[in-house]
Amino acid sequence: MTEPFPSPGTPVTAVAEPADRGDRPPPARFAYDVHTWKEVAHLLANLPASLVGFVYTVTMLSTGAGLTVTVIGFPLLALGLMGSRLLGRMERARARKLLGVRVEEPSRLPWGGTGGFWQSLWMALRDPVGWRTVLYALIRLPWGVLTFTVTLTGLFVLWPVLPFVVRGLANADRAMVRGLLSPSDELERRIAELESDRGVVVDTAAADLRRIERDLHDGAQARLVNLAMGLGLAKEKLLEDPDAAASMVEEAHGEVKLALQELRDLARGIHPAVLTDRGLDAALSSVASRCTVPVRVTVDLDERPAAAIEGIAYFTVSELLQNISKHSRARSASVEVWRSEGRLLVQVWDDGRGGANLGGGTGMRGLADRMGAVDGLFVVDSPEGGPTTVTAELPWRDRSGALAGDAGRAGRTAEKASVRGRG
């Protein structure tokens, strides 16, 4: 099995080459080739392009900043920054076509959030992509004048060495495009993660609602309908046949008990009362007692985490113990929960047949997705023949909602988890 986290001190054998470093042109030569002519065209086009960008940017900034004393100043400035994004897109397209610079397009601003107009306005005003494009447009005018003048003059008086001069100027252009018009790798990665996590949360909530609706419709609701019908029949026979009516009431009493039990099970599936009242130790002991395999539960926590984190840990263990009961053929299992460096660690071990994986159809993928939605980790170590060790790592948040620790410690804590409590 491939280790999800490298051990400390493990040598790095290869480093991925950035995507925008594979677009370097061939070395400059005295002979004029297609790359040289494209660079010449780009440098000559710098002046008109920089004039348009400079005039737009100065007009946008002066108008928006001058009207900030009124209610329309900030919206105008936000619209201006959105226009700067369009300028940046055109500049990236021009550099891609003529200089061969492959720069990823930045993500669009996530409009339509729950905060409404003011949140969208604030998001546009602090858009780093827009402001970097503004800086790019401001410094490009003198550079555009310089490159246009040197290139045009060189076509007449620097003809033998012009390819080398053009290559130097074009490389400076490439550096500016990559430095100011490239999206922030960390920001883009985080935005993509949040968009993916939001979809996971929405899908999970919808699936849970469908499950609750199905359980109510097929279980307690059906029994309550039968109960109402039975009591109606008993009411009709109460005077005519008291013995038959008493038998029907007895059956209805049994239906009530079954309906109450199903409602309790349904409520436990939504959020168990013992978890709210007594915490993870009692709740996990309760769910372990219903497992078909003997389970040893150890919870080493000085305080309780936030309710959301506590609930995710509980349902993760519950799902894993169900998998052990159904699929593992284990003789024993254990559950350990502890806190380490601002992270909540949950480890479930069993001595079953092994072979569990995220694509095995046992709910592992859903658990991993739920962990990822809260910046958690989910690691499965299950070789064929066993044993199986599943480690779940969650960010620790206290009951007041504060985030403890640093998510960057995930690798170290997961490594500790791999050696704690097996067997």
Side-chain angles (χ1 to χ4, degrees):
M1 177 177 174
T2 302
E3 289 293 335
F5 303 103
S7 301
T10 301
V12 179
T13 58
V15 178
E17 187 75 11
D20 59 357
R21 291 299 183 265
D23 51 16
R24 290 172 176 160
R29 300 179 301 169
F30 287 103
Y32 284 69
D33 56 13
V34 64
H35 297 286
T36 300
W37 286 116
K38 284 185 176 181
E39 290 171 345
V40 168
H42 179 84
L43 295 174
L44 291 177
N46 272 350
L47 181 58
S50 61
L51 278 173
V52 172
F54 185 83
V55 171
Y56 171 83
T57 301
V58 171
T59 304
M60 177 266 294
L61 289 177
S62 59
T63 304
L67 292 176
T68 51
V69 295
T70 67
V71 294
I72 64 172
F74 289 109
L76 282 178
L77 190 58
L79 290 174
L81 289 173
M82 293 172 61
S84 294
R85 272 180 162 252
L86 295 177
L87 286 177
R89 181 182 301 175
M90 289 187 290
E91 283 295 295
R92 282 188 293 271
R94 187 166 71 96
R96 186 163 50 247
K97 184 70 175 177
L98 298 177
L99 298 182
V101 178
R102 294 187 293 273
V103 175
E104 296 293 332
E105 293 293 329
S107 298
R108 294 183 178 182
L109 293 175
W111 301 108
T114 57
F117 170 77
W118 296 108
Q119 181 180 356
S120 300
L121 177 63
W122 175 243
M123 191 179 303
L125 288 175
R126 61 187 183 91
D127 175 26
V129 175
W131 284 111
R132 279 185 288 146
T133 307
V134 167
L135 177 61
Y136 178 85
L138 291 177
I139 66 176
R140 289 290 289 181
L141 182 59
W143 177 252
V145 173
L146 174 64
T147 56
F148 179 84
T149 304
V150 171
T151 305
L152 187 61
T153 304
L155 287 173
F156 297 98
V157 299
L158 298 176
W159 185 264
V161 295
L162 183 60
F164 299 93
V165 176
V166 167
R167 178 58 51 83
L169 296 176
N171 284 339
D173 261 335
R174 291 184 176 94
M176 278 190 279
V177 170
R178 292 190 183 107
L180 294 177
L181 298 184
S182 293
S184 171
D185 292 339
E186 181 65 21
L187 179 62
E188 292 298 305
R189 181 190 63 81
R190 187 58 181 159
I191 289 175
E193 286 181 357
L194 291 176
E195 289 177 348
S196 176
D197 293 345
R198 180 177 61 183
V200 170
V201 171
V202 171
D203 293 342
T204 300
D208 289 340
L209 288 175
R210 289 193 299 269
R211 177 183 59 82
I212 294 171
E213 180 184 11
R214 183 181 63 251
D215 292 345
L216 283 173
H217 182 271
D218 298 339
Q221 181 180 345
R223 292 196 180 278
L224 291 175
V225 170
N226 290 334
L227 172 63
M229 295 175 61
L231 290 176
L233 293 175
K235 181 180 179 181
E236 293 178 359
K237 292 183 175 292
L238 185 60
L239 297 178
E240 299 176 1
D241 190 352
D243 293 337
S247 177
M248 291 179 179
V249 170
E250 183 66 24
E251 292 179 3
H253 185 247
E255 289 289 335
V256 169
K257 290 182 178 179
L258 292 175
L260 287 175
Q261 182 61 42
E262 290 183 353
L263 288 174
R264 290 193 191 99
D265 293 340
L266 181 61
R268 186 185 297 114
I270 298 173
H271 195 82
V274 65
L275 179 62
T276 302
D277 297 337
R278 299 173 57 190
L280 275 174
D281 196 353
L284 294 182
S285 297
S286 175
V287 73
S289 66
R290 299 192 295 272
C291 183
T292 59
V293 176
V295 181
R296 176 174 56 88
V297 177
T298 304
V299 178
D300 183 14
L301 296 177
D302 296 331
E303 58 180 320
R304 294 178 61 178
I309 300 300
E310 199 174 55
I312 293 174
Y314 170 82
F315 287 110
T316 299
V317 173
S318 178
E319 179 73 20
L320 291 174
L321 291 182
Q322 288 183 30
N323 286 341
I324 290 175
S325 297
K326 296 177 182 178
H327 308 289
S328 71
R329 301 178 185 174
R331 295 187 301 271
S332 63
S334 67
V335 176
E336 288 193 80
V337 180
W338 74 97
R339 180 180 178 180
S340 176
E341 298 185 8
R343 308 286 285 184
L344 178 65
L345 276 295
V346 178
Q347 190 170 83
V348 179
W349 173 91
D350 71 79
D351 59 357
R353 60 179 181 174
N357 58 77
L358 294 180
T362 57
M364 295 287 190
R365 170 54 59 187
L367 292 176
D369 291 341
R370 292 191 184 194
M371 287 289 168
V374 292
D375 286 340
L377 295 171
F378 191 78
V379 181
V380 180
D381 182 10
S382 182
E384 291 293 338
T388 296
T389 303
V390 179
T391 303
E393 180 178 340
L394 291 163
W396 180 276
R397 293 184 176 89
D398 58 29
R399 304 299 279 187
S400 63
L403 179 63
D406 182 6
R409 300 169 183 165
R412 296 196 302 273
T413 52
E415 183 186 359
K416 294 178 182 179
S418 65
V419 297
R420 176 178 175 129
R422 292 193 179 185

